[in-house]
Every structure is written in structure tokens, then in C-alpha cells.
Amino acid sequence: MTIRFYNSLTHQEETFTPQEPGVVRMYSCGPTVYDYAHIGNFRSFLFSDLIRRFLELTGHEVIHAMNITDVGHMTDDSQADGGGEDKMQVAAKRIKEDKKSGKVPVGSVENPDDPFQVAKFYTNAFIEDSKKLGFKIAGEYETRIMHATTHIPEMLEMISQLIENKHAYVGPDGVVYYSVESFADYGKLSGNTLDQLREGSGGRVQEEHQANKRHPADFMLWKPDSSHIMKWDSPYGAGYPGWHIECSAMARKKLEREIIDIHTGGEDLIFPHHECEIAQSCGATGKPYFARFWMHARFLMVEGEKMSKSKGNFYTVRDVLGGKVTGREVHPAVLRFELLKSHYRSNMNFTEKGLKDSANSVRRLVEFRQQQLQKSGGEVANVGNDHPIVAQFIEALSNDLNISGALAVVLPWLSQEHKDAAEALGVLAKINHVLNVAPLDTAGDLAFGDDPEEGGIESQVKTWCKEIDEARASKNWPIADELRKKIQAAGYEVRNSPEGTVAQKQLA
RNA sequence: GGUGGCGUAGCCAAGUGGCCUAAGGCGACGGAUUGCAAAUCCGUUAUUUCGUCGGUUCAAAUCCGACCGCCACCUCCA
């Protein structure tokens, strides 16, 4: 089996092999923690989870690292000397307003003016959401997911290497800039070579901000600013790091290599972020590559439109799970499946209907597992990757993560006859290592009808189910139908089973 | 204006030169089942058609060119 991935760096599909056989070092650009991450962010993070789980299924150890950007970068980093407002201060303002209107639980951020508290709050929310969606890396917080603010020394080390290697200079304004002209490969990833950047700038580059730089595309590595809300000592004066340096520095530190195997992120990060990362890492190490493979996930659309706050179609994970889209609670496995089921290199269209479709697929997978577990008495056979179904599943994913092809193997298989339940469960376990929806490992099993609360809606639904059985026994059809409608209105599916009427919570 | 990507049925989407008279799922329709439903099972569901127009080839959804549309980046953004 050969694994082929589309490599953004070479603009073509290539055979993937890690530098060290059996071990893949992968870095993913993580979230900024000035606000809740939205489902578009999570699609991109989920995409890296998919890569990881697939590589693990095919026998690789995956060392996966991700950053959390908690340095208060400027809202207007475009000017590269750090103009505009600090994002942490913007967040502080917003949190104060949200607190007044009750949007943020009181006490969650005791002091919004403390950027570390703001970052901590949104970091926790991110980790929580990531766990719900079953991201493997969510269980590795603080070992593989790391904060930029705790890696300032690594960044300063890289900056000094860059200055030493003549890739960086201290401008007349005291700011440390990267000299893009010193790096011949600048533009290789994005196609935005220096010539083209000049052509394409369309007069938007403001001369006044360029005076201190040798080339307009030079970007900031360190900004001395003793008045900044977050600042650290450095040989260039107390201040804060540029936006791009954290990933270069942290990837090298955490993955313990100067060249890594895979680097992932959203498509918007290709330029300038990843272009600058390559320039920094290669400039500091002198190596021809930073990452061998660059993989980027496309943006998602919502109901055919761009997701934007002004259109009111802007969703966070908690929005979707809480029912903002469907009007009822959505199980995390359903959102995971929905975000996973379209190919990472096409714009996925997130829709309410799609969510409900995904709920069906997830339910089928979950019920299949339950049926087979019953049949096998809990026994799960050890199935190898050479099992025909597993092999086809892997074959599909080997082709640049062809998830549709992979699902086209799995879903029809569910409807086939399964003589050996233990074997079927073994196959499912393999498949579920990647899909992770049946069950979703970090969220536990799908909760079907076990609500500990006395007098809660679940016990009411159970009572109604019993009443339906009684009504049906006495052929009192109108009463039975009435009760069924009530249960459905409460967000439950009503079914007949050998044990009588049962209700299950709708997954979306 | 520059750069990168995408465009297959009602929807999601596979297929990258012949086995495509185009996987699979959802939906829809018909049937079995049911008190009626739901769930389940069976069947049907693009019939020179794959954004458009040309070209290469014995042969194209698949290669090449032009055009159109959509997305992203060129300013913070997954």
C-alpha cells in the first residue's frame, strides 16, 4: 500500500513516507484563544485528527503537536510593525460587555484585563470542544498542545539564529525583521514570489509603515514595546514575538527535528503564515525543508454562504451541539461525522440537512455495533488490515484521504449479512479508529435512555412508552398515537422492539 | 490585477485515458413488515451525461487550451 497525499508545497499528489520509518512527526496550527473557535476552525483541526488516525491505523506512530496562540497579537499585523489594537485587549472589552449581558458565565474570567485569564478561559473551551469531537490530541494538552507564551525562549533562540545567519536584522525602529530577500525560496509554497507580491500589492502597501523595512514583505520577528499588555525580556528590548515565529520554534522543540513530516492548517494560512514559517525554519536551520508535506483544509460554507457573524450563520461547536442549527441538541459524534464526511480539499457545505443525514449514518453505525455486540456476547475478534473491508477502507483513504470512498466501503457493508459478529466488531474497531463515532471515544457511548434524574424528561418518556404499550394492548389506537406524538415532540424517536415500545433521543 | 484550489444526479460525493451504458450515502418513489407509523429488509432512481466551448486520441468525466462560475490568499482569520 502506498499513501498519497496532496502536497501544497509541490502542488501535486505525492507518495508519503516519513523520514523515520514508522514514525510521523506532524505539526498543526492551532487556535488563537481570544474567542471561541468556530466550526470552520474545527473542521481544520479535525482534518489533522483524520490524518493522524489514518496513519496510526496503517501502523505509524504519530507524534502530533499543536500550538495555542495566546500572545496578544495586533489586530492590524498587516503593517508588520504591530499597529492596531491588541487582540487580548479587544477580547477583554468584549468579555466585559458579554458579562453584562450574561453571555459569559459570571466568574469564568475573573479579570478580563488579565490576558492570561482570557487565554486560559478560551483554551479550556477549546480543549473541551476538542474532546467532545474526539480529537486524539485533546488528551495530550500540555504535552503536545502547547502555549506560545511558554515558549518565548525557543522563539528568541530562533530569532538570534536568524540574525546570525543574516536572515534577520534589527530595523531603525528597533524591531527585528525577517529579510525575505535573503531567502530564495520565499513564495514557493503560495506562489506569491517577491516579484508577484510587488505586482499584486495594488497600492495597498502603505509606504509609511514600510520605512523601517528593507523590503515591503519583510515581517516582524520581535517587537520591543514596554507598554504592551504582554511582554517578555529580550536582547532587543522587552516586547513580544511576531505572529509567525511561534510555530517554527515550537515545532522544532516539540517534534525534536529540524525537518518534520507533515504540517497542516487552514487554507488561509498558506500565505503569509506558512510561507513565513518556512522562511524562518529553513533560515535558522539551513535545511532545504521545514515540513516535507504541507496539507491544507479548505474553508467550509454554511448553507452555501460564507460563514460570517453579520449573516447570522456563524457557529461555534457549542452553538451546534446546543441546538442552534437544528433546534435540538446535537450529539458530538454527529458533528464530528458531518465535518469529516467531505473531502478536506473541497469547500464543504455545512447544512442543517447534512447534519441530520450525518445523524442517520452515526445512528446506523452505533446500532450496528450494539446489535453485533449482542450477537457476539461482547467478543471482539482481532482483525488485521488485510481483512477485505478494512483493506478497502484503507485503500480509499490512502488516496489523499478519500473519505467518501472510505465511507462507500463502510456503509453498504453495514447492511450485509454478518455471520461472525466478533469479526464484524473487529472490522468496525479498525474503521472506528479513524471515524471515531461508534462510539466516540472521548464522549463515551451515545446515551440512549439512561437519565439518572428522577422525574426528568427521560423518565417521563419511559412512562409514555409503557402507556403506549398498554393502549396498544387494548387496541386504543388514538391514545397510542397521541402519546407517540408527544414523545416525538420531546425530541425522541419512537420505535417498536421485541421488548415493546422504546424511545431514543434524536441525535440531531 | 497577481497566486492557489474547486466545478459529477434533488443533496453529499467516488471515479484522473478503455471493465463508466458514472461507486456509495441521504432523499424520493414502489414493495415486504406494521393497527397506522418508525426502524429494518427488497427494488427503482444521471439511459452518449460529468460547468461551457474547442483540441489531442482508435478511445476522455479523466489529457491540453480558452472561457464561465464558486472559494481562499495577496490585510487579522482554520
Side-chain angles (χ1 to χ4, degrees):
Chain A
M1 178 206 55
T2 44
I3 295 172
R4 296 183 63 80
F5 288 148
Y6 182 88
N7 188 352
S8 303
L9 187 63
T10 54
H11 310 288
Q12 63 186 2
E13 233 178 62
E14 291 180 343
T15 299
F16 173 79
T17 41
Q19 300 167 96
E20 184 182 332
V23 182
V24 177
R25 291 183 166 77
M26 175 163 84
Y27 185 88
S28 300
C29 280
T32 52
V33 284
Y34 319 121
D35 202 348
Y36 293 113
H38 53 73
I39 54 172
N41 300 128
F42 275 94
R43 186 203 188 200
S44 152
F45 304 141
L46 179 55
F47 150 65
S48 64
D49 189 61
L50 171 65
I51 297 174
R52 172 178 181 167
R53 286 170 176 277
F54 166 65
L55 289 172
E56 284 177 350
L57 179 64
T58 51
H60 299 84
E61 182 196 341
V62 180
I63 305 173
H64 187 195
M66 181 186 262
N67 64 297
I68 286 186
T69 300
D70 54 353
V71 174
H73 294 295
M74 295 296 127
T75 52
D76 207 352
D77 261 354
S78 61
Q79 286 150 21
D81 61 348
E85 265 183 295
D86 184 278
K87 287 182 187 166
M88 280 297 177
Q89 284 171 332
V90 174
K93 244 188 252 173
R94 193 190 60 242
I95 291 167
K96 283 179 197 165
E97 279 163 25
D98 285 355
K99 266 190 162 182
K100 276 185 214 156
S101 59
K103 268 193 233 165
V104 172
V106 178
S108 54
V109 183
E110 235 171 86
N111 176 15
D113 289 322
D114 178 354
F116 288 96
Q117 282 189 29
V118 173
K120 187 73 197 153
F121 176 78
Y122 289 114
T123 299
N124 290 156
F126 169 73
I127 299 296
E128 213 174 277
D129 290 348
S130 300
K131 281 185 178 165
K132 278 190 185 159
L133 290 184
F135 295 176
K136 233 171 171 176
I137 200 167
E140 300 166 336
Y141 176 48
E142 284 178 342
T143 59
R144 300 261 186 250
I145 299 182
M146 59 229 150
H147 290 267
T149 49
T150 58
H151 291 75
I152 303 293
E154 286 81 359
M155 297 185 215
L156 286 169
E157 187 196 344
M158 188 169 268
I159 291 170
S160 82
Q161 284 174 323
L162 286 170
I163 292 176
E164 215 171 282
N165 295 348
K166 305 269 190 284
H167 285 296
Y169 60 92
V170 179
D173 50 357
V175 173
V176 185
Y177 292 108
Y178 188 98
S179 169
V180 292
E181 286 163 311
S182 73
F183 185 66
D185 275 349
Y186 193 84
K188 197 180 161 197
L189 175 69
S190 64
N192 290 329
T193 58
L194 296 180
D195 292 352
Q196 272 152 346
L197 276 175
R198 213 166 303 178
E199 249 177 61
S201 66
R204 269 180 287 188
V205 176
Q206 290 163 276
E207 290 303 323
E208 64 207 88
H209 295 297
Q210 303 301 336
N212 294 305
K213 299 197 285 184
R214 294 181 188 166
H215 185 280
D218 286 357
F219 55 92
M220 184 184 109
L221 296 172
W222 188 268
K223 163 100 170 172
D225 179 358
S226 55
S227 67
H228 192 71
I229 186 169
M230 292 173 119
K231 59 174 189 282
W232 295 266
D233 283 332
S234 90
Y236 325 102
Y240 59 94
W243 173 42
H244 312 298
I245 193 74
E246 66 183 59
C247 291
S248 288
M250 287 153 86
R252 181 166 72 170
K253 171 84 185 304
K254 273 293 160 184
L255 300 177
E256 298 174 321
R257 290 291 185 281
E258 299 196 322
I259 299 178
I260 64 173
D261 293 305
I262 301 176
H263 192 127
T264 72
E267 62 173 321
D268 57 326
L269 293 183
I270 293 171
F271 190 89
H273 189 54
H274 290 164
E275 196 73 75
C276 294
E277 279 186 46
I278 292 171
Q280 290 166 342
S281 292
C282 294
T285 64
K287 297 283 197 288
Y289 295 103
F290 171 26
R292 303 292 306 279
F293 274 76
W294 287 82
M295 297 175 72
H296 294 97
R298 299 253 96 83
F299 270 30
L300 73 70
M301 316 273 288
V302 172
E303 305 287 352
E305 289 188 306
K306 275 190 228 186
M307 183 164 72
S308 75
K309 282 182 176 163
S310 59
K311 277 182 186 150
N313 62 358
F314 186 94
Y315 301 121
T316 62
V317 166
R318 40 202 72 207
D319 285 341
V320 176
L321 300 184
K324 197 171 165 188
V325 177
T326 54
R328 65 167 59 93
E329 268 185 57
V330 172
H331 192 282
V334 172
L335 180 56
R336 178 180 169 95
F337 191 89
E338 172 68 7
L339 293 177
L340 198 61
K341 77 180 180 189
S342 40
H343 188 77
Y344 75 95
R345 260 177 343 100
S346 56
N347 288 111
M348 83 157 289
N349 189 16
F350 182 87
T351 62
E352 180 177 353
K353 187 177 176 299
L355 253 189
K356 291 187 169 169
D357 286 354
S358 292
N360 268 326
S361 302
V362 170
R363 187 184 46 71
R364 272 183 74 191
L365 281 159
V366 170
E367 289 187 353
F368 175 81
R369 180 166 171 272
Q370 290 171 333
Q371 284 161 12
Q372 300 301 319
L373 272 174
Q374 243 177 5
K375 266 171 68 184
S376 81
E379 194 200 329
V380 179
N382 205 345
V383 167
N385 284 358
D386 55 349
H387 182 103
I389 296 299
V390 179
Q392 286 173 53
F393 181 76
I394 290 174
E395 177 67 34
L397 290 176
S398 301
N399 182 13
D400 197 27
L401 300 171
N402 178 356
I403 188 71
S404 298
L407 291 175
V409 173
V410 177
L411 293 166
W413 171 73
L414 297 181
S415 298
Q416 288 169 13
E417 197 187 342
H418 300 279
K419 287 187 183 131
D420 186 342
E423 181 193 320
L425 285 165
V427 171
L428 185 65
K430 286 277 186 184
I431 289 166
N432 200 236
H433 182 83
V434 176
L435 298 184
N436 191 28
V437 294
L440 184 65
D441 61 18
T442 48
D445 240 321
L446 300 182
F448 279 162
D450 59 343
D451 179 12
E453 273 178 61
E454 278 294 315
I457 185 68
E458 296 254 339
S459 59
Q460 175 60 258
V461 167
K462 276 184 188 162
T463 306
W464 283 335
C465 286
K466 271 183 213 144
E467 288 172 8
I468 286 179
D469 287 337
E470 286 160 17
R472 292 185 67 212
S474 57
K475 297 195 192 293
N476 194 343
W477 312 130
I479 293 283
D481 291 346
E482 183 69 22
L483 286 164
R484 188 163 63 201
K485 274 184 199 153
K486 272 173 141 172
I487 296 174
Q488 284 166 340
Y492 288 75
E493 289 172 22
V494 183
R495 298 237 199 114
N496 257 334
S497 79
E499 293 83 42
T501 303
V502 292
Q504 297 180 339
K505 195 163 188 186
Q506 291 195 5
L507 296 179

